Amino acid sequence: FPGLADVSIPQDIPVEGEITVPVGSHSPDEDYSTLDEPVKDTIMRDLKAVGKKFVHVMYPRKSSALLRDWDLWGPLVLCVSLALMLQGGSADSKDDGGPQFAEVFVIIWFGAVVITLNSKLLGGTISFFQSLCVLGYCVMPLTVAMLVCRLVLLAGAGTVSFIIRLIVVGAMFGWSTLASTAFLADSQPPNRKALVVYPIFLFYFVISWMILTFTPQ
Amino acid sequence: MATADDLKFQEFDDAANLLAANPDATTISIDEPVEIPKNQHSRLQEPGREEDDELLGTDDSDKTELLAGQKKSAPFWTFEYYQTFFDVDTYQVLDRIKGSVFPVPGKNFVRLYIRSNPDLYGPFWICATLVFTIAVSGNLSNFFIHLGKPTYHYVPEFRKVSIAATTIYAYAWLVPLALWGFLMWRNSKVMNIVSYSFLEIVCVYGYSLFIYIPTAVLWIIPQKVVRWVLVVFSLCLSGSVLVMTFWPAVRDDNRRIAVATVATILLLHALLAVGCLAYFFDAPELDIPAPIIPVHNSTNKV
């Protein structure tokens, strides 16, 4: 091969350079660098993420931020606060009262798991924890409804208060269902959307029923 | 004319018409183990075995038994195995629900709607809906019945949800298990019985419970007569679906056993309805002034 003789590198030119690749300032693997930051920064970062998701639920738009960076802090806080607010209702000796703390907890988490399994079995493409995250965050309108109901019940427990509670709970139930459907519907096969939405409807209906039938002792 | 027609494949209607037109002609009818011609048969016309076999597709059911093992070829510890039980579209689920509510005489629910694609979506969610419907309607009905009484304090009665759930899920899963075991046992003794797989029986039972959902909502009406009419009506509808499904499976057996089996199926179904009505819905009382003793769950009389 005639032209190749020009390609050879002479042995006496030193080859130099850097072996390590310069790390960018926004590397995703920051485990070792966040150890040194103040605890306040760490907590604030997580709190901001949770708060951003709450805003997403309040104004449901199709955004992938809620789905991509899932976390279960929000659902846990909502579930615990809802279960705590549902306490104190008809806690007399005959145990035909309202749901206990454990019952609310189990219904919310077990219900969310079952719905997630259902949507995955029907062929959905969403991941398990993303779906749990969405269903948990969309309980927020109902928690707000519970708060409003308790405040209304402080004022009185007559027919007027019942009608107010009914309207508030109904509106929040619709909001929850619509918000979660907006986030979850895209990941389902098109001819099975109704099969996936119905259990979500049932889930929020049961939670709304528990809120509406809360009667303080 | 008759000889030319003899050589063609003949539907039963044609054979019946030809025989009616020409009673002395010899006919050759060849059994076709293929898809059932849907809108042409009526059970009352032809009581023969061949027609029932064709309607039920005995060969089909045997193949179904074999294919059931082959279709779900994923091992049972993988997720894909369970996905095969949810391989239904919305319209299929709605069709199956419709088929359970409007039973057509002569049509077998399993052969017509399930067709070797049993799903677990319908049974599971219909049972879940029924549990909550019964609990909620019972609560509402008791509230309206006792409204206005000075000794009455409304309680949400949340305990009853877990009781309802246990009862209904036990009925929807244990009774099909027992029935399937029983049919397998009889199948080993008497050959040529149409047999269903366990999932198909669960499917039939699950979809047959759908009629109780609107019934439970209507049970809120505090009139005894209305409630019992509803019980009888829904029992007729869903009971007929069950009977038409299981009668061909036991018909070849000893007459007494067949009748006893179908009677037991109906009895259990009725027991579920009546039991739910008695336990979750208080009796609509007449206008008697409330006694001094506060009223507990008076569910003994319906």
Side-chain angles (χ1 to χ4, degrees):
Chain A
F1 301 102
L4 270 183
D6 309 337
V7 186
S8 62
I9 301 173
Q11 294 292 331
D12 50 349
I13 297 184
V15 175
E16 48 182 42
E18 299 256 344
I19 294 184
T20 61
V21 176
V23 175
S25 57
H26 297 293
S27 132
D29 189 11
E30 286 179 338
D31 276 353
Y32 45 88
S33 65
T34 60
L35 255 177
D36 294 332
E37 65 179 12
V39 174
K40 187 168 80 91
D41 282 353
T42 315
I43 296 181
M44 285 312 292
R45 190 172 52 233
D46 280 339
L47 276 181
K48 280 206 192 99
V50 169
K52 209 158 54 155
K53 291 205 189 63
F54 277 134
V55 170
H56 271 299
V57 171
M58 287 208 313
Y59 303 112
R61 289 182 309 268
K62 283 196 180 56
S63 90
S64 55
L66 192 71
L67 293 182
R68 209 178 35 231
D69 308 318
W70 60 267
D71 73 87
L72 294 179
W73 283 112
L76 182 67
V77 164
L78 287 171
C79 179
V80 166
S81 56
L82 187 62
L84 281 177
M85 283 197 276
L86 276 170
Q87 295 307 297
S90 313
D92 42 354
S93 60
K94 56 174 178 164
D95 53 357
D96 259 351
Q100 303 300 313
F101 183 91
E103 284 171 342
V104 177
F105 216 79
V106 161
I107 282 187
I108 291 183
W109 286 102
F110 187 64
V113 165
V114 165
I115 293 176
T116 306
L117 279 179
N118 176 65
S119 80
K120 284 189 77 69
L121 282 168
L122 281 170
T125 55
I126 200 171
S127 96
F128 182 77
F129 284 108
Q130 281 172 353
S131 171
L132 275 187
C133 168
V134 169
L135 287 169
Y137 270 102
C138 289
V139 172
M140 191 195 76
L142 287 170
T143 311
V144 169
M146 182 74 220
L147 201 59
V148 171
C149 280
R150 281 213 89 144
L151 292 175
V152 168
L153 278 170
L154 282 179
T159 312
V160 173
S161 91
F162 175 73
I163 293 185
I164 296 177
R165 281 185 289 144
L166 182 65
I167 294 176
V168 167
V169 170
M172 293 299 153
F173 160 62
W175 195 346
S176 282
T177 311
L178 285 176
S180 62
T181 311
F183 286 119
L184 290 178
D186 282 340
S187 63
Q188 306 304 324
N191 48 351
R192 297 180 182 182
K193 278 205 168 65
L195 296 184
V196 174
V197 169
Y198 172 71
I200 300 178
F201 170 86
L202 187 65
F203 176 63
Y204 289 124
F205 178 78
V206 170
I207 299 180
S208 314
W209 178 255
M210 287 196 295
I211 293 175
L212 191 57
T213 61
F214 172 75
T215 49
Q217 188 56 8
Chain B
M1 299 301 276
T3 47
D5 289 333
D6 281 346
L7 298 177
K8 291 195 305 191
F9 286 113
Q10 290 187 351
E11 301 287 348
F12 267 108
D13 279 341
D14 292 338
N17 289 341
L18 284 174
L19 274 177
N22 209 349
D24 296 332
T26 55
T27 56
I28 304 170
S29 59
I30 302 172
D31 277 350
E32 288 183 289
V34 289
E35 293 301 327
I36 315 140
K38 281 191 198 177
N39 298 320
Q40 296 173 5
H41 291 296
S42 168
R43 212 166 219 201
L44 307 168
Q45 280 181 7
E46 186 71 24
R49 286 281 310 280
E50 291 79 14
E51 194 246 13
D52 289 327
D53 284 337
E54 227 178 314
L55 184 67
L56 303 163
T58 314
D59 298 328
D60 210 3
S61 76
D62 287 343
K63 265 187 260 170
T64 311
E65 290 283 308
L66 294 170
L67 279 177
Q70 288 175 17
K71 186 175 102 165
K72 307 165 189 359
S73 57
F76 67 91
W77 55 83
T78 59
F79 193 69
E80 285 72 27
Y81 176 73
Y82 298 101
Q83 260 183 330
T84 56
F85 301 142
F86 282 78
D87 194 15
V88 278
D89 293 336
T90 308
Y91 76 92
Q92 281 176 315
V93 171
L94 291 175
D95 272 346
R96 290 175 186 192
I97 290 178
K98 197 167 49 110
S100 77
V101 175
F102 303 119
V104 181
K107 305 279 177 60
N108 186 338
F109 180 78
V110 174
R111 289 292 160 246
L112 191 58
Y113 288 105
I114 298 190
R115 286 172 181 263
S116 78
N117 184 22
D119 70 305
L120 286 180
Y121 177 89
F124 183 78
W125 287 109
I126 290 178
C127 288
T129 310
L130 186 61
V131 164
F132 289 115
T133 309
I134 284 189
V136 167
S137 323
N139 201 230
L140 268 180
S141 147
N142 292 350
F143 173 70
F144 286 131
I145 286 176
H146 297 297
L147 190 62
K149 294 202 184 116
T151 56
Y152 178 69
H153 174 69
Y154 170 74
V155 285
E157 292 178 324
F158 201 73
R159 284 280 173 275
K160 294 199 167 175
V161 171
S162 34
I163 296 172
T166 314
T167 314
I168 289 174
Y169 273 101
Y171 177 80
W173 288 86
L174 293 182
V175 171
L177 185 65
L179 189 61
W180 175 74
F182 177 75
L183 287 179
M184 285 291 116
W185 175 58
R186 296 309 298 176
N187 205 10
S188 68
K189 296 197 161 208
V190 179
M191 295 318 270
N192 201 19
I193 291 185
V194 171
S195 62
Y196 300 116
S197 73
F198 172 61
L199 282 173
E200 287 171 346
I201 300 182
V202 166
C203 230
V204 171
Y205 263 87
Y207 280 103
S208 74
L209 286 177
F210 177 80
I211 188 72
Y212 288 134
I213 295 177
T215 308
V217 173
L218 288 176
W219 274 341
I220 297 179
I221 302 174
Q223 299 293 327
K224 239 192 242 186
V225 172
V226 169
R227 287 179 176 179
W228 279 101
V229 162
L230 283 169
V231 168
V232 169
F233 181 66
S234 58
L235 196 59
C236 283
L237 277 184
S238 60
S240 64
V241 170
L242 288 178
V243 166
M244 280 194 288
T245 304
F246 290 110
W247 179 247
V250 292
R251 191 192 44 212
D252 300 328
D253 205 345
N254 187 357
R255 195 82 189 171
R256 283 194 195 173
I257 294 187
V259 171
T261 309
V262 172
T264 311
I265 292 175
L266 281 178
L267 188 67
L268 286 174
H269 212 61
L271 210 60
L272 180 77
V274 172
C276 283
L277 180 61
Y279 185 73
F280 293 102
F281 294 82
D282 285 347
E285 294 153 10
L286 305 173
D287 273 348
I288 308 171
I292 303 172
I293 309 165
V295 177
H296 287 285
N297 284 340
S298 59
T299 52
N300 286 332
K301 44 183 192 341
V302 178

